[in-house]
Coordinates of all heavy atoms in Angstrom, one line a residue:
M591 N 0.8 -1.2 0.0 CA 0.0 0.0 0.0 C 0.9 1.2 0.0 O 1.8 1.4 0.8 CB -0.9 0.0 1.2 CG -2.1 0.8 1.2 SD -3.2 0.4 2.5 CE -4.1 1.9 2.5
S592 N 0.7 2.2 -0.9 CA 1.5 3.3 -1.0 C 1.0 4.5 -0.1 O -0.2 4.6 0.1 CB 1.6 3.8 -2.5 OG 0.4 4.3 -2.9
N593 N 1.9 5.3 0.3 CA 1.6 6.4 1.2 C 1.7 7.7 0.4 O 2.7 8.4 0.5 CB 2.5 6.4 2.4 CG 2.2 7.5 3.4 OD1 1.1 8.1 3.4 ND2 3.1 7.8 4.3
K594 N 0.6 8.0 -0.4 CA 0.7 9.1 -1.2 C 0.0 10.3 -0.5 O -1.0 10.2 0.2 CB -0.1 8.9 -2.5 CG 0.6 7.9 -3.4 CD -0.1 7.7 -4.7 CE 0.7 6.7 -5.6 NZ 0.1 6.6 -6.9
Q595 N 0.7 11.5 -0.7 CA 0.1 12.7 -0.1 C 0.4 13.9 -1.0 O 1.3 13.8 -1.8 CB 0.7 12.9 1.3 CG 2.2 13.1 1.4 CD 2.7 13.3 2.8 OE1 1.9 13.3 3.7 NE2 3.9 13.3 3.0
T596 N -0.4 14.9 -0.9 CA -0.2 16.1 -1.8 C 1.0 16.9 -1.2 O 1.3 16.8 0.0 CB -1.5 16.9 -1.8 OG1 -1.7 17.5 -0.6 CG2 -2.7 16.1 -2.3
P597 N 1.6 17.8 -2.0 CA 2.6 18.6 -1.4 C 2.1 19.5 -0.3 O 2.8 19.7 0.7 CB 3.0 19.5 -2.6 CG 2.7 18.7 -3.8 CD 1.5 17.9 -3.4
S598 N 0.8 19.9 -0.4 CA 0.3 20.7 0.7 C 0.2 19.9 2.0 O 0.5 20.4 3.1 CB -1.1 21.2 0.3 OG -1.7 22.0 1.3
E599 N -0.2 18.7 1.9 CA -0.3 17.8 3.1 C 1.1 17.6 3.7 O 1.2 17.6 4.9 CB -1.0 16.5 2.7 CG -2.4 16.6 2.4 CD -3.0 15.3 1.8 OE1 -2.2 14.5 1.2 OE2 -4.2 15.1 1.8
F600 N 2.0 17.4 2.8 CA 3.4 17.2 3.3 C 3.9 18.4 4.0 O 4.5 18.3 5.1 CB 4.3 16.9 2.1 CG 5.8 17.0 2.4 CD1 6.4 16.0 3.1 CD2 6.6 18.1 2.0 CE1 7.8 16.0 3.4 CE2 7.9 18.1 2.3 CZ 8.5 17.1 3.0
L601 N 3.7 19.6 3.5 CA 4.1 20.8 4.1 C 3.5 21.0 5.5 O 4.1 21.5 6.5 CB 3.9 22.0 3.2 CG 4.8 22.0 2.0 CD1 4.4 23.1 1.0 CD2 6.3 22.1 2.3
K602 N 2.2 20.7 5.6 CA 1.5 20.9 6.9 C 2.0 19.9 7.9 O 2.1 20.2 9.1 CB 0.0 20.6 6.7 CG -0.8 21.7 6.0 CD -2.2 21.4 5.8 CE -2.9 22.4 4.9 NZ -4.2 22.0 4.5
Q603 N 2.4 18.7 7.4 CA 2.9 17.7 8.3 C 4.3 18.0 8.9 O 4.7 17.5 10.0 CB 3.0 16.4 7.5 CG 3.2 15.2 8.3 CD 3.2 13.9 7.4 OE1 3.7 13.9 6.3 NE2 2.5 12.9 7.9
I604 N 5.1 18.8 8.2 CA 6.5 19.0 8.6 C 6.7 20.3 9.4 O 7.8 20.6 9.8 CB 7.5 18.9 7.4 CG1 7.3 20.1 6.4 CG2 7.5 17.6 6.8 CD1 8.3 20.2 5.4
I605 N 5.6 21.1 9.6 CA 5.8 22.3 10.4 C 6.2 21.9 11.8 O 5.7 20.9 12.4 CB 4.4 23.1 10.5 CG1 4.2 23.7 9.1 CG2 4.5 24.2 11.6 CD1 2.9 24.4 9.0
G606 N 7.2 22.6 12.3 CA 7.8 22.2 13.6 C 8.9 21.2 13.6 O 9.5 20.9 14.6
R607 N 9.3 20.8 12.4 CA 10.3 19.7 12.2 C 11.5 20.4 11.5 O 11.4 21.4 10.8 CB 9.8 18.6 11.4 CG 8.7 17.8 12.2 CD 8.2 16.6 11.4 NE 9.3 15.7 10.9 CZ 9.1 14.8 9.9 NH1 7.9 14.7 9.4 NH2 10.1 14.1 9.5
P608 N 12.7 19.7 11.7 CA 13.9 20.2 11.0 C 13.8 20.0 9.5 O 13.3 19.0 9.1 CB 15.0 19.4 11.6 CG 14.5 18.8 12.8 CD 13.0 18.7 12.6
V609 N 14.2 21.1 8.7 CA 14.1 21.0 7.3 C 15.3 21.6 6.7 O 16.1 22.3 7.3 CB 12.8 21.7 6.7 CG1 11.5 21.1 7.2 CG2 12.9 23.2 7.1
V610 N 15.5 21.2 5.4 CA 16.5 21.9 4.5 C 15.8 22.6 3.5 O 14.9 22.1 2.8 CB 17.5 20.9 3.9 CG1 18.5 21.5 3.0 CG2 18.2 20.0 5.0
V611 N 16.1 23.9 3.3 CA 15.5 24.7 2.2 C 16.6 25.1 1.3 O 17.6 25.7 1.7 CB 14.9 26.0 2.8 CG1 14.3 26.9 1.7 CG2 13.8 25.7 3.8
K612 N 16.5 24.6 0.1 CA 17.5 24.9 -1.0 C 17.0 26.0 -1.8 O 15.9 26.0 -2.3 CB 17.7 23.6 -1.8 CG 18.7 23.8 -2.9 CD 20.1 23.5 -2.4 CE 21.1 23.2 -3.6 NZ 22.3 22.7 -3.1
L613 N 17.9 27.0 -2.0 CA 17.5 28.2 -2.8 C 18.0 28.0 -4.3 O 18.9 27.2 -4.5 CB 18.1 29.5 -2.2 CG 17.8 29.8 -0.8 CD1 18.3 31.2 -0.5 CD2 16.3 29.7 -0.6
N614 N 17.4 28.8 -5.2 CA 17.8 28.7 -6.6 C 19.3 29.1 -6.7 O 20.0 28.6 -7.7 CB 17.0 29.7 -7.4 CG 15.5 29.3 -7.4 OD1 15.2 28.2 -7.5 ND2 14.7 30.3 -7.4
S615 N 19.9 29.8 -5.8 CA 21.3 30.3 -5.8 C 22.2 29.1 -5.4 O 23.4 29.2 -5.6 CB 21.5 31.4 -4.9 OG 21.3 31.1 -3.6
G616 N 21.6 28.0 -4.9 CA 22.5 26.9 -4.4 C 22.7 26.9 -2.9 O 23.3 26.0 -2.4
V617 N 22.4 28.0 -2.2 CA 22.6 28.1 -0.8 C 21.5 27.3 -0.1 O 20.4 27.2 -0.5 CB 22.5 29.6 -0.3 CG1 22.6 29.7 1.2 CG2 23.6 30.4 -1.0
D618 N 21.9 26.6 1.0 CA 21.0 25.8 1.8 C 20.8 26.5 3.1 O 21.7 27.1 3.7 CB 21.7 24.5 2.2 CG 21.7 23.5 1.1 OD1 21.2 23.8 0.0 OD2 22.3 22.4 1.3
Y619 N 19.5 26.5 3.6 CA 19.2 27.0 4.9 C 18.6 25.8 5.7 O 17.7 25.1 5.2 CB 18.2 28.1 4.9 CG 18.9 29.4 4.4 CD1 18.9 29.7 3.1 CD2 19.5 30.2 5.4 CE1 19.5 30.9 2.7 CE2 20.1 31.4 4.9 CZ 20.1 31.7 3.6 OH 20.7 32.9 3.2
R620 N 19.2 25.5 6.9 CA 18.7 24.4 7.7 C 18.2 24.9 9.0 O 18.8 25.7 9.6 CB 19.8 23.4 7.9 CG 20.4 22.8 6.7 CD 21.6 21.9 6.9 NE 22.2 21.7 5.6 CZ 23.3 20.9 5.4 NH1 23.9 20.4 6.5 NH2 23.8 20.7 4.3
G621 N 17.0 24.5 9.4 CA 16.4 25.0 10.6 C 15.1 24.3 10.8 O 14.7 23.4 10.1
V622 N 14.3 24.8 11.8 CA 13.0 24.3 12.2 C 12.0 25.1 11.4 O 12.0 26.3 11.6 CB 12.8 24.3 13.7 CG1 11.4 23.8 14.0 CG2 13.8 23.5 14.4
L623 N 11.1 24.4 10.7 CA 10.1 25.1 9.9 C 9.0 25.7 10.9 O 8.3 24.9 11.5 CB 9.4 24.2 8.9 CG 8.4 24.7 8.0 CD1 8.9 25.8 7.1 CD2 7.7 23.6 7.2
A624 N 9.0 27.0 11.0 CA 8.0 27.6 11.9 C 6.6 27.8 11.2 O 5.6 27.4 11.7 CB 8.5 29.0 12.3
C625 N 6.7 28.3 9.9 CA 5.4 28.4 9.2 C 5.7 28.7 7.7 O 6.9 29.1 7.4 CB 4.5 29.5 9.8 SG 5.2 31.1 9.8
L626 N 4.7 28.6 6.9 CA 4.9 29.0 5.5 C 3.5 29.4 5.0 O 2.5 29.0 5.6 CB 5.5 27.9 4.6 CG 4.7 26.6 4.4 CD1 5.2 26.1 3.1 CD2 5.0 25.7 5.5
D627 N 3.5 30.1 3.8 CA 2.2 30.5 3.3 C 2.0 30.0 1.9 O 2.9 29.2 1.4 CB 2.0 32.0 3.3 CG 3.0 32.8 2.4 OD1 3.7 32.1 1.6 OD2 3.1 34.0 2.6
G628 N 1.0 30.3 1.2 CA 0.7 29.8 -0.1 C 1.6 30.3 -1.2 O 1.7 29.7 -2.3
Y629 N 2.4 31.3 -0.9 CA 3.5 31.7 -1.9 C 4.8 31.1 -1.6 O 5.8 31.4 -2.2 CB 3.6 33.3 -1.8 CG 2.4 34.0 -2.2 CD1 1.5 34.5 -1.2 CD2 2.1 34.1 -3.5 CE1 0.4 35.2 -1.6 CE2 0.9 34.8 -3.9 CZ 0.1 35.3 -3.0 OH -1.1 36.0 -3.3
M630 N 4.8 30.1 -0.7 CA 6.1 29.4 -0.2 C 7.0 30.3 0.5 O 8.2 30.0 0.6 CB 6.8 28.7 -1.4 CG 6.0 27.6 -2.0 SD 6.0 26.2 -0.9 CE 7.6 25.6 -1.0
N631 N 6.6 31.5 1.0 CA 7.4 32.3 1.9 C 7.5 31.4 3.2 O 6.6 30.8 3.7 CB 6.7 33.6 2.3 CG 6.6 34.5 1.1 OD1 7.5 34.6 0.3 ND2 5.4 35.1 0.9
I632 N 8.8 31.3 3.7 CA 9.1 30.4 4.8 C 9.7 31.1 5.9 O 10.6 32.0 5.8 CB 10.1 29.4 4.2 CG1 9.5 28.5 3.1 CG2 10.6 28.4 5.4 CD1 10.5 27.7 2.3
A633 N 9.2 30.8 7.1 CA 9.9 31.2 8.4 C 10.5 30.0 9.0 O 9.9 29.0 9.2 CB 8.8 31.8 9.3
L634 N 11.8 30.2 9.3 CA 12.6 29.2 10.0 C 13.1 29.7 11.3 O 13.4 30.8 11.5 CB 13.8 28.8 9.1 CG 13.6 28.1 7.8 CD1 15.0 27.9 7.1 CD2 12.9 26.8 8.0
E635 N 13.3 28.8 12.3 CA 13.9 29.0 13.6 C 15.2 28.2 13.7 O 15.3 27.2 13.0 CB 12.9 28.6 14.7 CG 11.6 29.4 14.7 CD 10.6 28.9 15.6 OE1 10.7 27.7 16.1 OE2 9.6 29.6 16.0
Q636 N 16.1 28.7 14.5 CA 17.4 28.0 14.7 C 18.1 27.8 13.4 O 18.5 26.6 13.1 CB 17.2 26.7 15.5 CG 16.5 26.8 16.8 CD 16.0 25.5 17.3 OE1 16.7 24.5 17.2 NE2 14.9 25.5 18.0
T637 N 18.1 28.8 12.5 CA 18.6 28.7 11.2 C 20.1 28.7 11.0 O 20.8 29.5 11.6 CB 17.9 29.8 10.3 OG1 16.5 29.8 10.6 CG2 18.2 29.6 8.8
E638 N 20.6 27.8 10.1 CA 22.0 27.8 9.7 C 22.1 27.9 8.2 O 21.3 27.3 7.5 CB 22.7 26.5 10.2 CG 22.7 26.3 11.7 CD 23.2 24.9 12.0 OE1 23.2 24.0 11.2 OE2 23.7 24.8 13.2
E639 N 23.0 28.8 7.8 CA 23.2 29.0 6.3 C 24.4 28.2 5.9 O 25.5 28.4 6.5 CB 23.4 30.5 6.1 CG 23.7 30.8 4.6 CD 23.9 32.3 4.5 OE1 24.7 32.9 5.3 OE2 23.4 32.9 3.5
Y640 N 24.3 27.4 4.8 CA 25.4 26.7 4.3 C 25.6 27.1 2.8 O 24.7 27.1 2.0 CB 25.1 25.2 4.3 CG 25.1 24.6 5.7 CD1 24.0 24.7 6.5 CD2 26.2 23.9 6.1 CE1 24.1 24.1 7.8 CE2 26.3 23.4 7.4 CZ 25.2 23.5 8.3 OH 25.2 23.0 9.5
V641 N 26.9 27.4 2.5 CA 27.3 27.7 1.1 C 28.3 26.7 0.7 O 29.3 26.5 1.4 CB 27.9 29.1 1.0 CG1 28.3 29.4 -0.4 CG2 26.8 30.1 1.5
N642 N 28.1 25.9 -0.4 CA 29.0 24.9 -0.8 C 29.2 23.9 0.3 O 30.4 23.4 0.5 CB 30.3 25.4 -1.3 CG 30.1 26.3 -2.6 OD1 29.2 26.0 -3.4 ND2 30.8 27.4 -2.7
G643 N 28.2 23.6 1.1 CA 28.4 22.6 2.2 C 29.0 23.1 3.4 O 29.2 22.3 4.4
Q644 N 29.5 24.3 3.4 CA 30.2 24.9 4.6 C 29.3 25.8 5.4 O 28.6 26.7 4.8 CB 31.4 25.7 4.1 CG 32.4 24.9 3.3 CD 33.4 24.2 4.2 OE1 33.7 24.7 5.3 NE2 33.9 23.1 3.8
L645 N 29.2 25.7 6.7 CA 28.4 26.5 7.5 C 29.0 27.9 7.4 O 30.2 28.2 7.7 CB 28.5 26.0 9.0 CG 27.7 26.9 10.0 CD1 26.2 26.9 9.7 CD2 28.0 26.3 11.4
K646 N 28.2 28.9 7.1 CA 28.6 30.3 6.9 C 28.0 31.2 8.0 O 28.7 32.1 8.5 CB 28.2 30.9 5.6 CG 28.9 30.3 4.4 CD 30.4 30.6 4.4 CE 31.1 29.9 3.3 NZ 32.5 30.1 3.3
N647 N 26.8 31.0 8.4 CA 26.1 31.9 9.4 C 25.1 31.1 10.2 O 24.6 30.1 9.7 CB 25.4 33.1 8.8 CG 26.4 34.1 8.3 OD1 27.2 34.7 9.0 ND2 26.4 34.4 7.0
K648 N 24.8 31.6 11.4 CA 23.7 31.1 12.2 C 22.8 32.2 12.5 O 23.3 33.3 12.8 CB 24.2 30.4 13.5 CG 25.0 29.2 13.3 CD 25.3 28.5 14.6 CE 26.0 27.2 14.4 NZ 26.2 26.4 15.6
Y649 N 21.5 32.0 12.4 CA 20.5 33.0 12.7 C 19.5 32.4 13.7 O 19.2 31.3 13.6 CB 19.8 33.4 11.4 CG 20.6 33.8 10.2 CD1 20.9 32.9 9.2 CD2 21.2 35.1 10.2 CE1 21.7 33.3 8.1 CE2 22.0 35.5 9.2 CZ 22.3 34.6 8.1 OH 23.1 34.9 7.1
G650 N 18.9 33.3 14.5 CA 17.9 32.8 15.3 C 16.6 32.5 14.5 O 16.3 31.3 14.3
D651 N 16.1 33.5 13.9 CA 14.9 33.3 13.0 C 15.3 33.9 11.6 O 16.0 34.8 11.5 CB 13.7 34.1 13.5 CG 13.2 33.6 14.8 OD1 13.4 32.4 15.2 OD2 12.6 34.4 15.6
A652 N 14.7 33.2 10.6 CA 15.0 33.7 9.2 C 13.7 33.6 8.4 O 12.8 32.7 8.6 CB 16.0 32.8 8.6
F653 N 13.5 34.6 7.5 CA 12.4 34.6 6.6 C 12.9 34.5 5.2 O 13.8 35.2 4.8 CB 11.6 35.9 6.8 CG 10.4 36.0 5.9 CD1 9.2 35.4 6.2 CD2 10.5 36.7 4.7 CE1 8.1 35.4 5.4 CE2 9.4 36.8 3.9 CZ 8.2 36.2 4.2
I654 N 12.4 33.5 4.4 CA 12.9 33.3 3.1 C 11.7 33.5 2.1 O 10.7 32.9 2.3 CB 13.4 31.9 2.9 CG1 14.6 31.6 3.9 CG2 13.8 31.6 1.5 CD1 15.0 30.2 4.0
R655 N 12.0 34.4 1.2 CA 10.9 34.7 0.2 C 10.7 33.5 -0.8 O 11.7 32.9 -1.2 CB 11.3 35.9 -0.6 CG 10.2 36.4 -1.5 CD 10.6 37.8 -2.1 NE 9.5 38.1 -3.1 CZ 9.6 39.1 -3.8 NH1 10.6 40.0 -3.7 NH2 8.6 39.4 -4.7
G656 N 9.5 33.2 -1.0 CA 9.1 31.9 -1.7 C 9.7 31.8 -3.1 O 10.0 30.7 -3.5
N657 N 9.8 32.9 -3.8 CA 10.3 32.8 -5.2 C 11.7 32.4 -5.3 O 12.2 32.2 -6.4 CB 9.9 34.1 -6.0 CG 10.7 35.3 -5.6 OD1 11.2 35.3 -4.4 ND2 10.8 36.3 -6.4
N658 N 12.5 32.4 -4.2 CA 13.9 32.0 -4.2 C 14.0 30.5 -3.9 O 15.1 30.0 -3.9 CB 14.6 32.8 -3.1 CG 14.7 34.3 -3.4 OD1 15.0 34.6 -4.6 ND2 14.4 35.1 -2.5
V659 N 12.9 29.8 -3.5 CA 13.0 28.5 -3.0 C 13.0 27.5 -4.2 O 12.1 27.5 -5.0 CB 11.8 28.1 -2.0 CG1 11.9 26.7 -1.6 CG2 11.9 29.1 -0.8
L660 N 14.0 26.6 -4.2 CA 14.1 25.5 -5.2 C 13.3 24.3 -4.6 O 12.5 23.7 -5.3 CB 15.5 25.1 -5.5 CG 15.8 24.0 -6.5 CD1 15.2 24.5 -7.9 CD2 17.2 23.7 -6.6
Y661 N 13.6 23.9 -3.4 CA 12.9 22.8 -2.7 C 13.0 22.9 -1.2 O 13.9 23.6 -0.7 CB 13.3 21.5 -3.2 CG 14.7 21.0 -2.9 CD1 15.0 20.6 -1.6 CD2 15.7 21.1 -3.8 CE1 16.3 20.2 -1.3 CE2 17.0 20.7 -3.5 CZ 17.3 20.2 -2.3 OH 18.6 19.8 -2.0
I662 N 12.1 22.2 -0.5 CA 12.1 22.0 0.9 C 12.2 20.5 1.1 O 11.4 19.8 0.5 CB 10.9 22.6 1.6 CG1 10.7 24.0 1.3 CG2 11.0 22.3 3.1 CD1 9.4 24.6 1.8
S663 N 13.0 20.0 2.0 CA 13.0 18.6 2.4 C 13.2 18.5 3.9 O 13.7 19.4 4.5 CB 14.2 17.9 1.6 OG 15.4 18.3 2.1
T664 N 12.8 17.3 4.4 CA 13.0 17.1 5.8 C 14.4 16.7 6.0 O 15.1 16.2 5.2 CB 12.1 15.9 6.3 OG1 12.3 14.8 5.5 CG2 10.6 16.3 6.2
Q665 N 14.9 17.1 7.2 CA 16.3 16.9 7.6 C 16.3 15.8 8.6 O 15.5 15.8 9.6 CB 16.8 18.2 8.2 CG 18.2 18.1 8.7 CD 18.7 19.5 9.2 OE1 18.3 20.5 8.7 NE2 19.5 19.5 10.2
K666 N 17.2 14.9 8.4 CA 17.4 13.8 9.4 C 17.9 14.4 10.7 O 18.8 15.3 10.7 CB 18.3 12.7 8.9 CG 17.9 12.1 7.6 CD 16.7 11.2 7.8 CE 16.4 10.5 6.6 NZ 15.0 10.6 6.2
R667 N 17.4 14.0 11.8 CA 17.9 14.5 13.1 C 19.3 14.0 13.4 O 19.6 12.8 13.1 CB 17.0 14.0 14.2 CG 15.6 14.7 14.2 CD 14.9 14.4 15.5 NE 13.5 14.9 15.4 CZ 13.1 16.1 15.6 NH1 14.0 17.0 16.0 NH2 11.8 16.5 15.5
R668 N 20.1 14.9 13.8 CA 21.5 14.5 14.1 C 21.7 14.0 15.5 O 21.0 14.3 16.4 CB 22.4 15.8 14.0 CG 22.6 16.2 12.5 CD 23.4 17.4 12.5 NE 22.6 18.5 12.2 CZ 23.0 19.8 11.9 NH1 24.2 20.0 11.9 NH2 22.1 20.7 11.7
G669 N 22.7 13.1 15.6 CA 23.0 12.5 16.9 C 22.2 11.4 17.3 O 22.1 10.9 18.3

């Protein structure tokens, strides 16, 4: 039996969980998904910015404009 869900259902399910947000520029933001809207504008908490796989900055909260987002994926918990 397959576990199919719509993208909207997936996004609702991952609020409050660690995610990776990949931007069109290639930069990754990793943090806890606080909320998002219909335009894919994203609010993250405990955010880390990675450029070419290297940690560049840490932010408390971050807001990412939806038109910059390539994809959102769940992040495996570390440790």
